[in-house]
Amino acid sequence: DQQVQESDDEQVPKVLNFTAAAFHESRCGSTLVANSMIAMDPAKHRAYSESAPPISAMKNVCGESFSLCSQEQAAKILQDTIY
């Protein structure tokens, strides 16, 4: 289900079926978990360590308290930012 589709002159980028995100604090074992998930299935998992773009996108669109977006809108923003 993650295939690159080609049109006549251009490629359509891969799109992940984004189903979950894990945000964490330092020194809690999350890097081990992220690396384990990637090792199990690199084509289906992504890890972004201390990545500012998702949070910046959320704050810019949904507001500092994340109260200006619905859960569906927030999920779409994360999907668009991450992949």
Side-chain angles (χ1 to χ4, degrees), residues 4-48:
V4 176
Q5 301 170 354
E6 294 184 28
S7 63
D8 293 336
D9 296 318
E10 61 183 289
Q11 283 189 336
V12 177
K14 289 183 181 180
V15 177
L16 293 178
N17 182 14
F18 187 73
T19 58
F23 296 96
H24 62 86
E25 297 293 327
S26 61
R27 309 232 181 257
C28 69
S30 56
T31 301
L32 175 64
V33 172
N35 290 339
S36 297
M37 288 174 56
I38 292 170
M40 287 188 309
D41 195 345
K44 291 187 178 181
H45 297 106
R46 298 288 183 271
Y48 299 93

Side-chain angles (χ1 to χ4, degrees), residues 28-78:
C28 69
S30 56
T31 301
L32 175 64
V33 172
N35 290 339
S36 297
M37 288 174 56
I38 292 170
M40 287 188 309
D41 195 345
K44 291 187 178 181
H45 297 106
R46 298 288 183 271
Y48 299 93
S49 298
E50 301 179 23
S51 181
I55 296 301
S56 295
M58 294 287 290
K59 285 184 178 180
N60 286 331
V61 177
C62 295
E64 198 65 33
S65 65
F66 303 106
S67 61
L68 303 176
C69 290
S70 69
Q71 185 175 0
E72 291 79 17
Q73 291 168 322
K76 180 67 174 145
I77 292 165
L78 281 175

